PDB file of all heavy atoms in Angstrom:
ATOM      1  N   ALA A   1      22.699  26.585   6.306  1.00 96.00           N
ATOM      2  CA  ALA A   1      21.928  25.489   6.904  1.00 96.00           C
ATOM      3  C   ALA A   1      20.505  25.943   7.195  1.00 96.00           C
ATOM      4  O   ALA A   1      19.531  25.230   6.906  1.00 96.00           O
ATOM      5  CB  ALA A   1      22.612  25.006   8.181  1.00 96.00           C
ATOM      6  N   ARG A   2      20.365  27.133   7.754  1.00 97.00           N
ATOM      7  CA  ARG A   2      19.044  27.679   8.084  1.00 97.00           C
ATOM      8  C   ARG A   2      18.230  27.921   6.812  1.00 97.00           C
ATOM      9  O   ARG A   2      17.014  27.664   6.782  1.00 97.00           O
ATOM     10  CB  ARG A   2      19.201  28.959   8.896  1.00 97.00           C
ATOM     11  CG  ARG A   2      17.911  29.529   9.422  1.00 97.00           C
ATOM     12  CD  ARG A   2      18.137  30.591  10.503  1.00 97.00           C
ATOM     13  NE  ARG A   2      19.209  31.522  10.205  1.00 97.00           N
ATOM     14  CZ  ARG A   2      19.037  32.670   9.566  1.00 97.00           C
ATOM     15  NH1 ARG A   2      17.845  33.037   9.159  1.00 97.00           N
ATOM     16  NH2 ARG A   2      20.059  33.470   9.352  1.00 97.00           N
ATOM     17  N   LEU A   3      18.889  28.406   5.753  1.00 97.00           N
ATOM     18  CA  LEU A   3      18.202  28.608   4.479  1.00 97.00           C
ATOM     19  C   LEU A   3      17.651  27.283   3.954  1.00 97.00           C
ATOM     20  O   LEU A   3      16.488  27.199   3.553  1.00 97.00           O
ATOM     21  CB  LEU A   3      19.156  29.233   3.455  1.00 97.00           C
ATOM     22  CG  LEU A   3      18.597  29.403   2.043  1.00 97.00           C
ATOM     23  CD1 LEU A   3      17.434  30.388   2.044  1.00 97.00           C
ATOM     24  CD2 LEU A   3      19.693  29.843   1.100  1.00 97.00           C
ATOM     25  N   PHE A   4      18.492  26.230   3.972  1.00 96.00           N
ATOM     26  CA  PHE A   4      18.020  24.916   3.525  1.00 96.00           C
ATOM     27  C   PHE A   4      16.841  24.439   4.376  1.00 96.00           C
ATOM     28  O   PHE A   4      15.859  23.915   3.845  1.00 96.00           O
ATOM     29  CB  PHE A   4      19.144  23.874   3.576  1.00 96.00           C
ATOM     30  CG  PHE A   4      20.060  23.886   2.387  1.00 96.00           C
ATOM     31  CD1 PHE A   4      21.438  23.933   2.575  1.00 96.00           C
ATOM     32  CD2 PHE A   4      19.576  23.800   1.093  1.00 96.00           C
ATOM     33  CE1 PHE A   4      22.306  23.918   1.481  1.00 96.00           C
ATOM     34  CE2 PHE A   4      20.429  23.777   0.004  1.00 96.00           C
ATOM     35  CZ  PHE A   4      21.795  23.845   0.196  1.00 96.00           C
ATOM     36  N   LYS A   5      16.922  24.613   5.705  1.00 98.00           N
ATOM     37  CA  LYS A   5      15.833  24.176   6.584  1.00 98.00           C
ATOM     38  C   LYS A   5      14.547  24.937   6.293  1.00 98.00           C
ATOM     39  O   LYS A   5      13.461  24.353   6.274  1.00 98.00           O
ATOM     40  CB  LYS A   5      16.215  24.370   8.054  1.00 98.00           C
ATOM     41  CG  LYS A   5      17.074  23.282   8.615  1.00 98.00           C
ATOM     42  CD  LYS A   5      17.320  23.517  10.091  1.00 98.00           C
ATOM     43  CE  LYS A   5      18.326  22.515  10.616  1.00 98.00           C
ATOM     44  NZ  LYS A   5      18.712  22.792  12.003  1.00 98.00           N
ATOM     45  N   ALA A   6      14.663  26.235   6.093  1.00 97.00           N
ATOM     46  CA  ALA A   6      13.481  27.051   5.831  1.00 97.00           C
ATOM     47  C   ALA A   6      12.799  26.629   4.531  1.00 97.00           C
ATOM     48  O   ALA A   6      11.579  26.435   4.491  1.00 97.00           O
ATOM     49  CB  ALA A   6      13.857  28.530   5.778  1.00 97.00           C
ATOM     50  N   ILE A   7      13.580  26.453   3.496  1.00 96.00           N
ATOM     51  CA  ILE A   7      12.983  26.081   2.211  1.00 96.00           C
ATOM     52  C   ILE A   7      12.500  24.636   2.250  1.00 96.00           C
ATOM     53  O   ILE A   7      11.481  24.303   1.634  1.00 96.00           O
ATOM     54  CB  ILE A   7      13.947  26.393   1.056  1.00 96.00           C
ATOM     55  CG1 ILE A   7      14.147  27.917   0.987  1.00 96.00           C
ATOM     56  CG2 ILE A   7      13.411  25.847  -0.267  1.00 96.00           C
ATOM     57  CD1 ILE A   7      15.165  28.395  -0.015  1.00 96.00           C
ATOM     58  N   ALA A   8      13.159  23.783   3.029  1.00 97.00           N
ATOM     59  CA  ALA A   8      12.664  22.413   3.223  1.00 97.00           C
ATOM     60  C   ALA A   8      11.266  22.447   3.824  1.00 97.00           C
ATOM     61  O   ALA A   8      10.386  21.669   3.437  1.00 97.00           O
ATOM     62  CB  ALA A   8      13.616  21.613   4.113  1.00 97.00           C
ATOM     63  N   TYR A   9      11.060  23.367   4.761  1.00 97.00           N
ATOM     64  CA  TYR A   9       9.736  23.494   5.360  1.00 97.00           C
ATOM     65  C   TYR A   9       8.706  23.922   4.309  1.00 97.00           C
ATOM     66  O   TYR A   9       7.581  23.402   4.278  1.00 97.00           O
ATOM     67  CB  TYR A   9       9.753  24.470   6.535  1.00 97.00           C
ATOM     68  CG  TYR A   9       8.386  24.674   7.123  1.00 97.00           C
ATOM     69  CD1 TYR A   9       7.781  23.681   7.893  1.00 97.00           C
ATOM     70  CD2 TYR A   9       7.668  25.836   6.877  1.00 97.00           C
ATOM     71  CE1 TYR A   9       6.509  23.841   8.408  1.00 97.00           C
ATOM     72  CE2 TYR A   9       6.391  26.013   7.399  1.00 97.00           C
ATOM     73  CZ  TYR A   9       5.824  25.013   8.155  1.00 97.00           C
ATOM     74  OH  TYR A   9       4.552  25.177   8.659  1.00 97.00           O
ATOM     75  N   ALA A  10       9.077  24.852   3.445  1.00 97.00           N
ATOM     76  CA  ALA A  10       8.155  25.275   2.380  1.00 97.00           C
ATOM     77  C   ALA A  10       7.794  24.094   1.483  1.00 97.00           C
ATOM     78  O   ALA A  10       6.625  23.928   1.102  1.00 97.00           O
ATOM     79  CB  ALA A  10       8.777  26.401   1.549  1.00 97.00           C
ATOM     80  N   GLU A  11       8.777  23.268   1.161  1.00 98.00           N
ATOM     81  CA  GLU A  11       8.511  22.082   0.334  1.00 98.00           C
ATOM     82  C   GLU A  11       7.583  21.112   1.069  1.00 98.00           C
ATOM     83  O   GLU A  11       6.718  20.480   0.466  1.00 98.00           O
ATOM     84  CB  GLU A  11       9.817  21.381  -0.049  1.00 98.00           C
ATOM     85  CG  GLU A  11      10.844  22.255  -0.747  1.00 98.00           C
ATOM     86  CD  GLU A  11      10.404  22.881  -2.054  1.00 98.00           C
ATOM     87  OE1 GLU A  11       9.303  22.600  -2.550  1.00 98.00           O
ATOM     88  OE2 GLU A  11      11.185  23.672  -2.612  1.00 98.00           O
ATOM     89  N   GLN A  12       7.739  21.025   2.398  1.00 98.00           N
ATOM     90  CA  GLN A  12       6.854  20.188   3.205  1.00 98.00           C
ATOM     91  C   GLN A  12       5.424  20.717   3.138  1.00 98.00           C
ATOM     92  O   GLN A  12       4.470  19.936   3.035  1.00 98.00           O
ATOM     93  CB  GLN A  12       7.340  20.152   4.655  1.00 98.00           C
ATOM     94  CG  GLN A  12       6.452  19.340   5.583  1.00 98.00           C
ATOM     95  CD  GLN A  12       6.909  19.414   7.024  1.00 98.00           C
ATOM     96  OE1 GLN A  12       7.976  19.909   7.336  1.00 98.00           O
ATOM     97  NE2 GLN A  12       6.092  18.920   7.918  1.00 98.00           N
ATOM     98  N   VAL A  13       5.264  22.020   3.198  1.00 97.00           N
ATOM     99  CA  VAL A  13       3.925  22.628   3.094  1.00 97.00           C
ATOM    100  C   VAL A  13       3.306  22.259   1.748  1.00 97.00           C
ATOM    101  O   VAL A  13       2.142  21.852   1.676  1.00 97.00           O
ATOM    102  CB  VAL A  13       3.996  24.158   3.279  1.00 97.00           C
ATOM    103  CG1 VAL A  13       2.676  24.827   2.906  1.00 97.00           C
ATOM    104  CG2 VAL A  13       4.398  24.508   4.710  1.00 97.00           C
ATOM    105  N   HIS A  14       4.086  22.367   0.684  1.00 98.00           N
ATOM    106  CA  HIS A  14       3.569  22.017  -0.645  1.00 98.00           C
ATOM    107  C   HIS A  14       3.152  20.548  -0.693  1.00 98.00           C
ATOM    108  O   HIS A  14       2.064  20.218  -1.191  1.00 98.00           O
ATOM    109  CB  HIS A  14       4.627  22.274  -1.731  1.00 98.00           C
ATOM    110  CG  HIS A  14       5.112  23.674  -1.772  1.00 98.00           C
ATOM    111  ND1 HIS A  14       6.360  23.992  -2.270  1.00 98.00           N
ATOM    112  CD2 HIS A  14       4.569  24.847  -1.369  1.00 98.00           C
ATOM    113  CE1 HIS A  14       6.547  25.289  -2.184  1.00 98.00           C
ATOM    114  NE2 HIS A  14       5.466  25.837  -1.636  1.00 98.00           N
ATOM    115  N   ALA A  15       4.010  19.670  -0.181  1.00 98.00           N
ATOM    116  CA  ALA A  15       3.707  18.232  -0.194  1.00 98.00           C
ATOM    117  C   ALA A  15       2.443  17.948   0.617  1.00 98.00           C
ATOM    118  O   ALA A  15       1.585  17.161   0.194  1.00 98.00           O
ATOM    119  CB  ALA A  15       4.891  17.433   0.351  1.00 98.00           C
ATOM    120  N   HIS A  16       2.316  18.589   1.767  1.00 97.00           N
ATOM    121  CA  HIS A  16       1.131  18.389   2.606  1.00 97.00           C
ATOM    122  C   HIS A  16      -0.134  18.827   1.871  1.00 97.00           C
ATOM    123  O   HIS A  16      -1.155  18.120   1.899  1.00 97.00           O
ATOM    124  CB  HIS A  16       1.287  19.172   3.917  1.00 97.00           C
ATOM    125  CG  HIS A  16       0.150  18.978   4.860  1.00 97.00           C
ATOM    126  ND1 HIS A  16       0.209  18.118   5.917  1.00 97.00           N
ATOM    127  CD2 HIS A  16      -1.092  19.533   4.887  1.00 97.00           C
ATOM    128  CE1 HIS A  16      -0.949  18.144   6.568  1.00 97.00           C
ATOM    129  NE2 HIS A  16      -1.753  19.002   5.963  1.00 97.00           N
ATOM    130  N   ASN A  17      -0.079  19.963   1.205  1.00 98.00           N
ATOM    131  CA  ASN A  17      -1.239  20.437   0.437  1.00 98.00           C
ATOM    132  C   ASN A  17      -1.618  19.442  -0.651  1.00 98.00           C
ATOM    133  O   ASN A  17      -2.800  19.138  -0.846  1.00 98.00           O
ATOM    134  CB  ASN A  17      -0.952  21.811  -0.174  1.00 98.00           C
ATOM    135  CG  ASN A  17      -0.905  22.905   0.867  1.00 98.00           C
ATOM    136  OD1 ASN A  17      -1.415  22.763   1.969  1.00 98.00           O
ATOM    137  ND2 ASN A  17      -0.269  24.010   0.511  1.00 98.00           N
ATOM    138  N   HIS A  18      -0.620  18.933  -1.368  1.00 98.00           N
ATOM    139  CA  HIS A  18      -0.896  17.948  -2.426  1.00 98.00           C
ATOM    140  C   HIS A  18      -1.486  16.672  -1.832  1.00 98.00           C
ATOM    141  O   HIS A  18      -2.435  16.093  -2.371  1.00 98.00           O
ATOM    142  CB  HIS A  18       0.369  17.622  -3.212  1.00 98.00           C
ATOM    143  CG  HIS A  18       0.978  18.786  -3.940  1.00 98.00           C
ATOM    144  ND1 HIS A  18       0.257  19.866  -4.413  1.00 98.00           N
ATOM    145  CD2 HIS A  18       2.269  19.035  -4.282  1.00 98.00           C
ATOM    146  CE1 HIS A  18       1.070  20.724  -5.006  1.00 98.00           C
ATOM    147  NE2 HIS A  18       2.300  20.243  -4.942  1.00 98.00           N
ATOM    148  N   ALA A  19      -0.909  16.209  -0.706  1.00 97.00           N
ATOM    149  CA  ALA A  19      -1.391  14.981  -0.063  1.00 97.00           C
ATOM    150  C   ALA A  19      -2.848  15.127   0.377  1.00 97.00           C
ATOM    151  O   ALA A  19      -3.646  14.204   0.218  1.00 97.00           O
ATOM    152  CB  ALA A  19      -0.501  14.630   1.127  1.00 97.00           C
ATOM    153  N   ARG A  20      -3.170  16.285   0.912  1.00 96.00           N
ATOM    154  CA  ARG A  20      -4.551  16.535   1.339  1.00 96.00           C
ATOM    155  C   ARG A  20      -5.501  16.466   0.142  1.00 96.00           C
ATOM    156  O   ARG A  20      -6.541  15.823   0.197  1.00 96.00           O
ATOM    157  CB  ARG A  20      -4.655  17.882   2.046  1.00 96.00           C
ATOM    158  CG  ARG A  20      -6.039  18.143   2.639  1.00 96.00           C
ATOM    159  CD  ARG A  20      -6.165  19.502   3.322  1.00 96.00           C
ATOM    160  NE  ARG A  20      -5.867  20.592   2.411  1.00 96.00           N
ATOM    161  CZ  ARG A  20      -4.792  21.399   2.499  1.00 96.00           C
ATOM    162  NH1 ARG A  20      -3.925  21.260   3.473  1.00 96.00           N
ATOM    163  NH2 ARG A  20      -4.594  22.354   1.614  1.00 96.00           N
ATOM    164  N   GLU A  21      -5.115  17.117  -0.953  1.00 97.00           N
ATOM    165  CA  GLU A  21      -5.975  17.115  -2.145  1.00 97.00           C
ATOM    166  C   GLU A  21      -6.106  15.726  -2.758  1.00 97.00           C
ATOM    167  O   GLU A  21      -7.134  15.393  -3.335  1.00 97.00           O
ATOM    168  CB  GLU A  21      -5.440  18.102  -3.188  1.00 97.00           C
ATOM    169  CG  GLU A  21      -5.544  19.552  -2.769  1.00 97.00           C
ATOM    170  CD  GLU A  21      -6.966  19.972  -2.414  1.00 97.00           C
ATOM    171  OE1 GLU A  21      -7.922  19.561  -3.108  1.00 97.00           O
ATOM    172  OE2 GLU A  21      -7.126  20.706  -1.412  1.00 97.00           O
ATOM    173  N   LEU A  22      -5.076  14.906  -2.607  1.00 97.00           N
ATOM    174  CA  LEU A  22      -5.107  13.545  -3.145  1.00 97.00           C
ATOM    175  C   LEU A  22      -5.849  12.573  -2.226  1.00 97.00           C
ATOM    176  O   LEU A  22      -6.058  11.421  -2.589  1.00 97.00           O
ATOM    177  CB  LEU A  22      -3.671  13.042  -3.373  1.00 97.00           C
ATOM    178  CG  LEU A  22      -2.956  13.670  -4.558  1.00 97.00           C
ATOM    179  CD1 LEU A  22      -1.453  13.444  -4.460  1.00 97.00           C
ATOM    180  CD2 LEU A  22      -3.513  13.105  -5.867  1.00 97.00           C
ATOM    181  N   GLY A  23      -6.233  13.035  -1.048  1.00 96.00           N
ATOM    182  CA  GLY A  23      -6.945  12.162  -0.116  1.00 96.00           C
ATOM    183  C   GLY A  23      -6.033  11.223   0.653  1.00 96.00           C
ATOM    184  O   GLY A  23      -6.478  10.208   1.170  1.00 96.00           O
ATOM    185  N   TYR A  24      -4.761  11.557   0.737  1.00 96.00           N
ATOM    186  CA  TYR A  24      -3.797  10.716   1.446  1.00 96.00           C
ATOM    187  C   TYR A  24      -3.888  10.876   2.959  1.00 96.00           C
ATOM    188  O   TYR A  24      -3.329  10.082   3.694  1.00 96.00           O
ATOM    189  CB  TYR A  24      -2.366  11.054   1.037  1.00 96.00           C
ATOM    190  CG  TYR A  24      -1.963  10.703  -0.365  1.00 96.00           C
ATOM    191  CD1 TYR A  24      -0.741  11.133  -0.855  1.00 96.00           C
ATOM    192  CD2 TYR A  24      -2.763   9.953  -1.212  1.00 96.00           C
ATOM    193  CE1 TYR A  24      -0.330  10.817  -2.143  1.00 96.00           C
ATOM    194  CE2 TYR A  24      -2.370   9.641  -2.495  1.00 96.00           C
ATOM    195  CZ  TYR A  24      -1.150  10.078  -2.956  1.00 96.00           C
ATOM    196  OH  TYR A  24      -0.734   9.769  -4.225  1.00 96.00           O
ATOM    197  N   ILE A  25      -4.550  11.922   3.431  1.00 95.00           N
ATOM    198  CA  ILE A  25      -4.571  12.232   4.855  1.00 95.00           C
ATOM    199  C   ILE A  25      -5.988  12.043   5.375  1.00 95.00           C
ATOM    200  O   ILE A  25      -6.940  12.589   4.823  1.00 95.00           O
ATOM    201  CB  ILE A  25      -4.098  13.678   5.104  1.00 95.00           C
ATOM    202  CG1 ILE A  25      -2.680  13.866   4.577  1.00 95.00           C
ATOM    203  CG2 ILE A  25      -4.176  14.029   6.579  1.00 95.00           C
ATOM    204  CD1 ILE A  25      -2.210  15.304   4.530  1.00 95.00           C
ATOM    205  N   GLY A  26      -6.110  11.252   6.448  1.00 95.00           N
ATOM    206  CA  GLY A  26      -7.421  10.998   7.037  1.00 95.00           C
ATOM    207  C   GLY A  26      -7.381  11.181   8.534  1.00 95.00           C
ATOM    208  O   GLY A  26      -6.590  11.970   9.054  1.00 95.00           O
ATOM    209  N   THR A  27      -8.188  10.405   9.235  1.00 96.00           N
ATOM    210  CA  THR A  27      -8.171  10.413  10.691  1.00 96.00           C
ATOM    211  C   THR A  27      -6.895   9.720  11.160  1.00 96.00           C
ATOM    212  O   THR A  27      -6.210   9.047  10.376  1.00 96.00           O
ATOM    213  CB  THR A  27      -9.376   9.657  11.261  1.00 96.00           C
ATOM    214  OG1 THR A  27      -9.246   8.269  10.909  1.00 96.00           O
ATOM    215  CG2 THR A  27     -10.700  10.221  10.742  1.00 96.00           C
ATOM    216  N   THR A  28      -6.598   9.832  12.434  1.00 97.00           N
ATOM    217  CA  THR A  28      -5.412   9.160  12.965  1.00 97.00           C
ATOM    218  C   THR A  28      -5.497   7.657  12.726  1.00 97.00           C
ATOM    219  O   THR A  28      -4.511   7.039  12.294  1.00 97.00           O
ATOM    220  CB  THR A  28      -5.234   9.469  14.462  1.00 97.00           C
ATOM    221  OG1 THR A  28      -5.022  10.876  14.603  1.00 97.00           O
ATOM    222  CG2 THR A  28      -4.059   8.721  15.053  1.00 97.00           C
ATOM    223  N   ALA A  29      -6.650   7.062  12.974  1.00 97.00           N
ATOM    224  CA  ALA A  29      -6.799   5.618  12.756  1.00 97.00           C
ATOM    225  C   ALA A  29      -6.570   5.272  11.281  1.00 97.00           C
ATOM    226  O   ALA A  29      -5.876   4.297  10.958  1.00 97.00           O
ATOM    227  CB  ALA A  29      -8.166   5.139  13.218  1.00 97.00           C
TER     228      ALA A  29
END
């Protein structure tokens, strides 16, 4: 379970990096 959670977090980091580069992330508003 911990292994799955850890690697899930790594996948989240990858997705966040891609989203940032695609301009999907802005200000809170």
